Structure formats: C-alpha cells, structure tokens
Amino acid sequence: LERKRMQNETIAIHAGYNKKEGFGTMSVPISQTTAYAFRDSEHAANLFALKELGPIYTRLTNPTTDVLEQRFAALEGGAAAICTSSGQAASFFAIANVAEAGDNVIISDKLYGGSVTLLTYTMKRFGINAKVFKSDDASDLESLIDDKTKAIYFESLSNPQIAIPDVEKVVEIAKKHGVLTICDNTVASAALFNPIKWGVDVVVHSTSKYTNGQGTALGGIIVERDGLAEFFKANENRYSHFTTPDVSYHGLVYTDVPLPNFCLRVRLSLLRDIGATQSPHNSWLLIQTLETLSLRVDKHSENALEVAKFLESHPKVKAVNYPGLESNKYYAKAQKYFKGGKSSGLISFDVESFEEAKRIIDSAKLFSVVVNIGDSKSLIVHPASTTHSQMSPEELAKAGVNPVTVRLSIGLENTVDLIEDLNQALN
C-alpha cells in the first residue's frame, strides 16, 4: 500500500500487513518467539550478511514488531522505523546513534523531565554534553552549534510546559550547519503532527502514551526521514561513523547499504548490543490501539479544550496553559502546525500555592493521580514533585515547571463529569 494513496486514518489500519499471506488472519498475528529456524546454513549466513532480509532473533527483528514499524513509519511519512522497549530507550538510542564521547547535543529548554535527566546527566557520564536552547524562537540556537554538535533535540508539544517550538526556525538553522534534528512527537502524536513534513530528520515517540491510549503497554519508536544517507555523506566530518566501515559488523559501511541508514545502525549496533527490545506482545497491543489513534486524539483534544475553557473562567485558577485557547501564547503555532489546530489532551493550570495544588489533586475523585499521559482515563499530577522531581529549583524555573502547577491529561470521559469533578476539587 503506497503512502501517497492513503490518508493517515487508513494507514493506521492497513499499512505494513498483507492479510492475504499466511493464514489470512484479519488481526496481525503475535510472533511470540525468541528465535527463528533458518532454511540452511547459507540462508543463515545471508541474513547476517544482509544479502537477504528476514528475522534472525527477536532482540533484532520480529514479524509482529515489523508490522508496527512499517505502519508507524508510513503514518509519520518516514522511510523506516524501529521499535524500542520504552520512550526513554528510543530517546537514548536516537542520541547514542550519532554522538560519542567528546560530542554535544543541543536540547530544548522545554522538555519532559526524564529526557532532561537522560540528556544532561546520564549521557554526560558517557562523555556527551548537553547545551540548552530557547525553543520558543530558537534565538540562541545557532550560537550554540560547534564542530562537535551531533543533534538538536526538541519536543513538538512539550510535557508538562505544553509549549510549541518554532519548528521551521530550528530546522532552518540545523540544515544550514548540517546538524541532525530529532523531534519527540509523543504529546502531539502522529495524528496531529508529522515533523518530517516540516523538515525534521528523526522522530521519536513514547508509544506508551497516546499511541497505546490505555496504559497497557510500554514502548518507544524511532522514525527516520527518507534521504538520510545523502545527509550523512554531505556531512561526513560530523557523522563519519555512517560513512566509514563498522568493524563490529564485518566492515559494513551504512551509507553503502540501500536501506534507511539511521534505523539500520540502531538495529545492527545499539539494539544488538544494548537490547532494549520491545516485546512482540506489546507490539501487537500497540498495533490494535494505533487503529483508533486519530479518533481518540480528536476526542482528547475536544475534551481538553472544553475543560481548559472552564478552568480559564474559574476564580481560583490563576493561569491556564492549553494551546487550543485563543488567549494562549502558542495558539497561532497550534493553528499552523497541528491538524485542525487541535492541541492534544494535556492541560496545566496554576493555583495560589503548592499546598492548594496538593489539596486539589487529593480532592479529585474521577481524575486518577498518575504520572502517565494519553490514557483514555483522565489523570492529574503535580509535575514539580513527580515527573520533574529530579530537577533543582533553578532547573525547574528554567524549564518552566512551577511548584503551583497542576497537570491534567484529559481522557475520553464526558466533559460534564470531568468539569464537575474539577469544580468540586477547586472549591
């Protein structure tokens, strides 16, 4: 099925699977296996030498996961995708695939707390340093780039700040200097925004969030745009490990292989050696939920806008952050970048004090106190003391995470009930 013939809603249901093969099952089968029998020794050798393509071992490839990867790549308008065991693993692999000791990455000032700690603390122990740029306008981005900069990492819709970056400006600067762009598209989701269409090189997701939508499966995915082999060749000094022989894999030169280079190297090097592999069962669960992604994200967005309007009118709420509100500073960007101007299901709002924020969270009855997002059930949390608790007060301030902020992940319930619950919690 060709991407150009289908809309995203159709891709999410049909891409990557031929039901006329095998037993003709309408549901993608679960290949719940660790290993695969080869036809003979020559077949095995050909697979390892990439002379033939096919499953070798589930740490590397799996038929069920392969369907999800093909489907997600088509959904994002990419050339290829690779699944990982979690969103954090996807982010780690995306950076580790291009950077090594002595290099640096430039990250947005508005990022998920887990990404901040990964990229500024854990990666630092590997000798990879992070610099922070102002994502709202990218005004300081160009000044931060040097010969050792390997990637620019940002979120299309940040969690929990719910900020939208100047994607075009980031991409423009990155292309000028030949630096790879990586966009975390978890919150906006592939249903609302496709970064590759705006010139981004690599997209990552925590598929545990909106892609799953039910809080039942951990997963992550990396998607690359078409043409990265040419990009690596054009910027050979910065990305020489893609254009020179990999001694750990028979001297393979990735840019000489007629396959999407970025995901191929993640698979043959990082997934092979580190093994943060997604289970076939989780891949199967994500295939099921991907089919309804567009419907669910539309409803999440509609519900969130109604709840945001209620909060904006409540006297005890000091500020509301939701890009779907016309009063929001990111409203114009939401209209520009996101399908129909819809802004997904995350809302944050500020109250009088930390104590008041805690009281509201503890008073909610329908909202569950959970650190996940994108669930069909509505969730409430205090970011400063949970998802971003590893950050210092200074880091919290720089990241725009306020101790008086409450974050909501609006689910698929009726908004009459959600608003009633918030009203009683606020009062």
Side-chain angles (χ1 to χ4, degrees):
L1 293 171
E2 294 293 331
R3 168 66 183 91
K4 62 184 178 182
R5 297 184 208 158
M6 297 192 298
Q7 299 300 308
N8 272 2
E9 293 85 350
T10 312
I11 287 170
I13 295 172
H14 292 285
Y17 178 60
N18 184 357
K19 56 183 174 289
K20 293 183 180 179
E21 295 180 352
F23 293 101
T25 59
M26 287 297 291
S27 176
V28 178
I30 305 176
S31 296
Q32 194 67 42
T33 184
T34 56
Y36 308 86
F38 307 127
R39 293 191 303 270
D40 49 38
S41 59
E42 183 181 6
H43 179 221
N46 285 344
L47 289 171
F48 276 88
L50 299 181
K51 293 179 181 178
E52 292 185 54
L53 298 180
I56 295 174
Y57 192 71
T58 284
R59 187 172 79 250
L60 298 173
T61 55
N62 176 274
T64 307
T65 302
D66 181 60
V67 172
L68 178 60
E69 290 170 347
Q70 291 187 53
R71 192 164 292 185
F72 214 104
L75 194 63
E76 281 285 17
I82 185 166
C83 289
T84 62
S85 57
S86 68
Q88 284 292 91
S91 296
F92 172 73
F93 280 167
I95 296 298
N97 204 32
V98 291
E100 60 187 33
D103 290 337
N104 65 76
V105 296
I106 305 176
I107 65 173
S108 165
D109 58 345
K110 295 180 175 67
L111 279 185
Y112 164 60
S115 298
V116 173
T117 52
L118 167 67
L119 299 172
T120 58
Y121 293 106
T122 299
M123 297 304 283
K124 188 175 183 178
R125 297 188 65 217
F126 289 84
I128 301 167
N129 291 310
K131 305 176 185 179
V132 181
F133 79 99
K134 299 173 182 176
S135 59
D136 280 1
D137 58 10
S139 58
D140 58 347
L141 177 57
E142 192 162 20
S143 67
L144 298 172
I145 296 173
D146 60 33
D147 291 342
K148 291 295 186 179
T149 301
K150 293 299 177 71
I152 300 167
Y153 184 102
F154 62 99
E155 294 180 19
S156 56
L157 185 57
S158 71
N159 168 29
Q161 305 91 346
I162 319 177
I164 302 173
D166 189 335
V167 179
E168 289 170 293
K169 189 67 175 177
V170 172
V171 168
E172 176 191 336
I173 293 169
K175 288 188 181 303
K176 177 181 176 181
H177 293 274
V179 178
L180 191 86
T181 48
I182 303 172
C183 179
D184 184 335
N185 198 33
T186 297
V187 180
S189 86
L192 294 184
F193 183 59
N194 298 127
I196 288 171
K197 292 180 180 178
W198 292 86
V200 170
D201 298 312
V202 174
V203 180
V204 297
H205 286 257
S206 168
T207 51
S208 322
K209 309 302 190 293
Y210 285 99
T211 301
N212 178 246
Q214 298 172 344
T216 58
L218 280 177
I221 199 162
I222 302 169
V223 184
E224 69 176 283
R225 71 166 174 86
D226 192 28
L228 278 186
E230 288 71 26
F231 171 82
F232 292 134
K233 289 176 183 176
N235 299 282
E236 187 171 2
N237 290 338
R238 201 181 293 273
Y239 302 105
S240 60
H241 57 296
F242 280 90
T243 60
T244 55
D246 181 350
V247 295
S248 77
Y249 205 95
H250 318 302
L252 176 71
V253 177
Y254 291 99
T255 51
D256 288 347
V257 179
L259 294 169
N261 284 184
F262 194 87
C263 289
L264 181 65
R265 189 178 185 279
V266 170
R267 195 179 304 279
L268 299 185
S269 179
L270 301 176
L271 204 59
R272 175 197 67 186
D273 293 344
I274 298 171
T277 305
Q278 183 165 278
S279 75
H281 185 258
N282 279 11
S283 294
W284 183 83
L285 286 171
L286 291 164
I287 287 169
Q288 311 315 306
T289 56
L290 190 64
E291 293 186 356
T292 61
L293 177 65
S294 292
L295 290 172
R296 289 185 287 105
V297 172
D298 278 353
K299 187 60 176 174
H300 283 297
S301 300
E302 292 168 9
N303 282 0
L305 181 56
E306 284 191 47
V307 172
K309 287 179 177 177
F310 158 74
L311 291 169
E312 194 173 41
S313 68
H314 198 284
K316 289 191 176 180
V317 174
K318 304 303 177 185
V320 181
N321 191 12
Y322 184 67
L325 292 172
E326 291 185 26
S327 59
N328 188 268
K329 64 185 288 189
Y330 299 108
Y331 178 78
K333 285 182 180 177
Q335 299 300 308
K336 178 181 181 179
Y337 291 129
F338 300 156
K339 181 181 177 183
K342 293 175 180 176
S343 301
S344 197
L346 280 195
I347 300 172
S348 69
F349 65 96
D350 293 351
V351 292
E352 188 68 38
S353 64
F354 166 75
E355 291 73 20
E356 178 69 0
K358 183 178 179 181
R359 186 196 66 77
I360 291 166
I361 291 168
D362 290 342
S363 299
K365 297 175 182 177
L366 192 56
F367 284 79
S368 301
V369 185
V370 175
V371 294
N372 195 25
I373 63 170
D375 203 322
S376 58
K377 296 166 281 292
S378 291
L379 314 172
I380 188 169
V381 78
H382 182 247
S385 63
T386 55
T387 57
H388 290 63
S389 60
Q390 302 96 333
M391 299 169 70
S392 68
E394 294 76 19
E395 289 171 327
L396 287 171
K398 287 181 181 179
V401 180
N402 197 316
V404 300
T405 298
V406 175
R407 188 194 72 187
L408 305 176
S409 175
I410 302 299
L412 304 179
E413 303 94 341
N414 192 295
T415 52
V416 170
D417 299 313
L418 296 177
I419 289 171
E420 182 179 323
D421 188 35
L422 287 171
N423 193 43
Q424 66 83 25
L426 282 161
N427 294 327

